[in-house]
Amino acid sequence: MNGETVMDRCTICGEREPIYTRAYSGESLCRRCFVRSIMRKVRATISKYGMFKHDDRIAVAVSGGKDSTALLHVMAEIERRFPKSTLVAVTVDEGIKGYRDEALSIALENSKLLGVEHITVSFKELYGYTLDEIVEMSSGTQLTPCAICGVLRRRALNVAARIAKAEKIATAHNLDDEVQTVILNIMHGDPFRIARVKPVLEPATAGFVRRVKPFCEVPEREVALYAYIKGIKFQDLPCPYAETALRNEIRNMLNRLEERHPGIKYAIFRSAERMRPYLEKALSELKMRRCVICGEPSVGEICQPCQILRDLKILE
Ligand code: SF4
Ligand code: ZN
Ligand code: ZN
């Protein structure tokens, strides 16, 4: 067998020059076949987990970063085949000076380009304060900016989806995000939270919209390459509050492992999938409740982050 001809031609079409080698599958792909493979993978994920119905109105959470902007482009292409389904891009403006403004205009620009309606909701409108102000108010408490932001943004997204009359919220969590969260939960001594790392998250309380993650089986590198090949404009600045210390170390560790043992991220993802039913069962036996405010698992009626937000008088 002539190894050379195989090596310098795309594994799928056998015609064009490969630009990317997918170590975990052994494929070498040309630009066109790579882009198609991403679309195929996302479609397969959507259908495997039954993420959408043909006539859904789908809110895509677009922060303006690489992953969410790429997701909006992918969803716009998928949605073209479903004339009864509609998309709406929703952006949460947390109120982070010098960071969110640029991201907002990029989200808006991409939505316009794709002809997708765009809605913005802000912390200021919803809660009366920007995240910058809330972070100041919370000094002296144990709450970190990301913990506050996470709870408030989840709610804000939900409000935005309701304003948009959407049945689903699609978020851009990719394979790496999901696998990092699994490991983080173990490292935080909170294994039951793995049950919540899920491609389709059913609303825990009434009034919450179903959240789905169409990119959950696409590695971060491939989302980035897709965005680059498609010439998608996105914001590259990190959030000034980003608490990435442990997550970053986990990311680097997983990337090193993946290089030496291709497919390890998928293996962790699948392990979490296999563990989930048992964790869910154990959780229900533990009689964990759902926080009445945010819907997250909680020992008490109200979870700790929501309680602290109440103390800060941000939530009622
Ligand atoms: Fe919010 Fe933290 Fe993300 Fe910044 S990094 S947008 S504070 S969750
Ligand atoms: Zn090809
Ligand atoms: Zn809560």
Side-chain angles (χ1 to χ4, degrees):
M1 189 171 154
N2 186 341
E4 271 173 45
T5 39
V6 174
M7 283 302 285
D8 54 35
R9 292 287 160 233
C10 166
T11 317
I12 296 184
C13 65
E15 286 173 18
R16 285 171 292 271
E17 208 182 310
I19 50 118
Y20 176 65
T21 299
R22 196 172 260 163
Y24 58 84
S25 70
E27 296 165 299
S28 289
L29 305 174
C30 70
R31 284 166 91 96
R32 202 170 79 174
C33 293
F34 171 77
V35 167
R36 286 183 175 176
S37 77
I38 295 295
M39 294 304 298
R40 236 192 342 266
K41 194 175 272 185
V42 175
R43 282 199 184 95
T45 302
I46 289 173
S47 108
K48 178 163 69 176
Y49 296 103
M51 289 184 176
F52 305 116
K53 293 201 302 256
H54 72 286
D55 57 353
D56 267 343
R57 181 155 166 84
I58 304 160
V60 183
V62 183
S63 66
K66 153 183 70 56
D67 300 276
S68 64
T69 319
L71 179 65
L72 185 64
H73 282 253
V74 167
M75 288 302 299
E77 193 171 331
I78 290 177
E79 192 258 347
R80 259 177 237 134
R81 292 200 191 173
F82 298 92
K84 285 193 176 164
S85 158
T86 48
L87 280 190
V88 50
V90 299
T91 305
V92 176
D93 178 5
E94 301 92 347
I96 304 171
K97 237 196 164 100
Y99 167 69
R100 188 45 87 205
D101 318 337
E102 190 200 352
L104 253 172
S105 70
I106 289 173
L108 191 62
E109 203 181 305
N110 278 283
S111 308
K112 265 196 190 146
L113 182 76
L114 295 164
V116 174
E117 188 189 336
H118 181 262
I119 288 179
T120 307
V121 289
S122 71
F123 279 13
K124 185 84 182 171
E125 279 159 26
L126 290 176
Y127 307 116
Y129 304 97
T130 64
L131 183 66
D132 288 336
E133 290 165 343
I134 298 170
V135 167
E136 262 196 63
M137 291 155 67
S138 69
S139 73
T141 71
Q142 285 190 336
L143 266 193
T144 62
C146 290
I148 299 172
C149 183
V151 173
L152 296 184
R153 199 181 33 198
R154 208 167 16 249
R155 264 158 176 267
L157 263 183
N158 213 62
V159 170
R162 272 206 308 265
I163 294 172
K165 296 192 168 46
E167 283 98 15
K168 311 273 165 66
I169 300 174
T171 62
H173 296 89
N174 58 45
L175 176 72
D176 293 57
D177 295 324
E178 297 297 87
V179 172
Q180 287 158 18
T181 306
V182 168
I183 306 286
L184 257 177
N185 285 328
I186 293 173
M187 290 188 174
H188 281 152
D190 203 358
F192 289 109
R193 283 192 71 87
I194 293 173
R196 299 284 289 163
V197 187
K198 242 176 146 174
V200 175
L201 214 46
E202 298 300 337
T205 46
F208 270 67
V209 180
R210 208 175 191 218
R211 279 186 286 147
V212 300
K213 301 170 186 169
F215 273 173
C216 67
E217 295 181 304
V218 184
E220 184 171 17
R221 277 187 89 184
E222 298 192 10
V223 177
L225 183 57
Y226 175 88
Y228 169 75
I229 292 178
K230 299 288 273 185
I232 295 171
K233 192 172 170 195
F234 58 84
Q235 191 198 39
D236 215 5
L237 265 180
C239 170
Y241 296 121
E243 297 150 15
T244 50
L246 184 54
R247 190 177 274 272
N248 248 349
E249 284 180 47
I250 294 173
R251 167 184 288 127
N252 294 339
M253 172 191 81
L254 286 167
N255 285 342
R256 271 197 312 273
L257 284 171
E258 181 70 33
E259 228 169 78
R260 294 172 54 175
H261 310 279
I264 212 159
K265 290 177 189 169
Y266 279 112
I268 298 172
F269 183 80
R270 301 282 168 243
S271 294
E273 298 240 280
R274 292 171 72 182
M275 283 191 279
R276 194 180 305 125
Y278 303 101
L279 291 172
E280 283 174 338
K281 189 163 175 279
L283 264 179
S284 67
E285 280 165 11
L286 269 178
K287 298 214 175 4
M288 284 285 281
R289 303 185 187 187
R290 297 279 182 211
C291 165
V292 292
I293 297 177
C294 69
E296 289 294 312
S298 165
V299 184
E301 195 177 327
I302 297 172
C303 74
Q304 213 189 4
C306 286
Q307 189 54 55
I308 299 178
L309 295 174
R310 267 187 157 186
D311 297 345
L312 291 173
K313 308 229 178 319
I314 294 163
L315 292 179
E316 284 164 15

